[in-house]
Amino acid sequence: MSLLDASALPRMLRVRQDFPKSEPLEIPAGVAEQISLVRDRLKPGTRVALTVGSRGIANIKSIVLAVIDELKAAEVEPFIVPAMGSHGGATPEGQKRILADYGITEQTIGVPIEANMEAREVGRTSDSIPAFTSSAALSADGIVVLNRVKPHTDYFSHTIGSGLVKMMVVGMGKHDGAANFHRTAVHHGYEETLKMLGRVVLDNVPILFGIGLVENQYHETV
């Protein structure tokens, strides 16, 4: 055992990093502009599910309201599906409570929230791994996937992080989908599992389009 020579340590410097502020964002106008690009996929009179997750997204209530307004303007019948895997204790009441903490309720948004936890197998990968999707979402004529796109917080860092594919595979899968994803990822890796199961969902579930949200270093919508 030897003493550490303090002179061998690098000099320590205090460093501060300043990020430029983003331009203010007009959320309703931004949502309207993007949905206009895919508006022809919204057929009047159809029921459309909108996924809403549990990750503390900035301005989530305002964004959900803006999306719902655009869906109503397209003359579809929107409703919200909590898409958060097994969060909220894997119960309908717990998942609705999480949304309520973000100000999202049937009263504040003006559409039903269908929070039942039932999920159905919608297909399998080439090596017979099942993919699951919320039964409430499957009851719709089409699904709009809404989520923030960012590097994953804990598990991995590759070309796919935490975004629309993860929402489809894990969030929309409810407890069954979340458990299946994590069980499979132990053997195949997180990114490969997202890609495999995401393809099954895209091939077998009526996804209309996705809305990807991006935040800056200050956790502001940009």
Side-chain angles (χ1 to χ4, degrees), residues 73-140:
E75 300 181 2
V76 303
E77 300 174 15
F79 65 95
I80 289 172
V81 172
M84 52 187 78
S86 56
H87 289 187
T91 66
E93 298 77 17
Q95 297 205 340
K96 291 181 82 169
R97 188 163 53 247
I98 289 176
L99 295 187
D101 288 342
Y102 300 141
I104 298 171
T105 66
E106 293 183 341
Q107 291 71 35
T108 59
I109 305 300
V111 298
I113 298 176
E114 299 193 10
N116 77 72
M117 292 299 297
E118 180 185 354
R120 298 205 309 262
E121 182 181 320
V122 294
R124 291 187 171 237
T125 66
S126 59
D127 49 354
S128 296
I129 300 168
F132 295 90
T133 297
S134 157
S135 295
L138 289 172
S139 74

Side-chain angles (χ1 to χ4, degrees), residues 17-206:
Q17 186 173 17
D18 290 317
F19 296 104
K21 296 290 288 185
S22 302
E23 292 293 323
L25 181 66
E26 180 56 41
I27 288 173
V31 168
E33 178 184 2
Q34 295 304 311
I35 290 183
S36 70
L37 303 176
V38 289
R39 195 182 181 96
D40 60 335
R41 302 184 188 183
L42 299 169
K43 306 303 180 185
T46 57
R47 295 180 71 244
V48 174
L50 174 67
T51 69
V52 183
S54 55
R55 289 295 187 182
I57 296 169
N59 299 306
I60 187 61
K61 179 183 175 182
S62 298
I63 292 167
V64 169
L65 274 170
V67 174
I68 292 295
D69 285 346
E70 290 302 310
L71 295 179
K72 288 181 176 178
E75 300 181 2
V76 303
E77 300 174 15
F79 65 95
I80 289 172
V81 172
M84 52 187 78
S86 56
H87 289 187
T91 66
E93 298 77 17
Q95 297 205 340
K96 291 181 82 169
R97 188 163 53 247
I98 289 176
L99 295 187
D101 288 342
Y102 300 141
I104 298 171
T105 66
E106 293 183 341
Q107 291 71 35
T108 59
I109 305 300
V111 298
I113 298 176
E114 299 193 10
N116 77 72
M117 292 299 297
E118 180 185 354
R120 298 205 309 262
E121 182 181 320
V122 294
R124 291 187 171 237
T125 66
S126 59
D127 49 354
S128 296
I129 300 168
F132 295 90
T133 297
S134 157
S135 295
L138 289 172
S139 74
D141 298 299
I143 301 168
V144 174
V145 181
L146 172 72
N147 200 23
R148 178 176 53 198
V149 178
K150 61 183 283 293
H152 196 279
T153 306
D154 297 315
Y155 298 134
F156 62 98
S157 179
H158 295 289
T159 58
I160 291 182
S162 180
L164 300 180
V165 176
K166 183 167 178 284
M167 174 62 82
M168 291 189 300
V169 171
V170 183
M172 281 172 42
K174 295 292 187 172
H175 174 71
D176 290 340
N180 177 63
F181 166 74
H182 289 100
R183 184 167 54 244
T184 304
V186 170
H187 303 287
H188 294 272
Y190 289 100
E191 180 176 21
E192 185 59 29
T193 301
L194 283 178
K195 288 180 177 179
M196 290 191 303
L197 295 176
R199 174 51 57 191
V200 174
V201 173
L202 282 172
D203 287 344
N204 295 282
V205 174

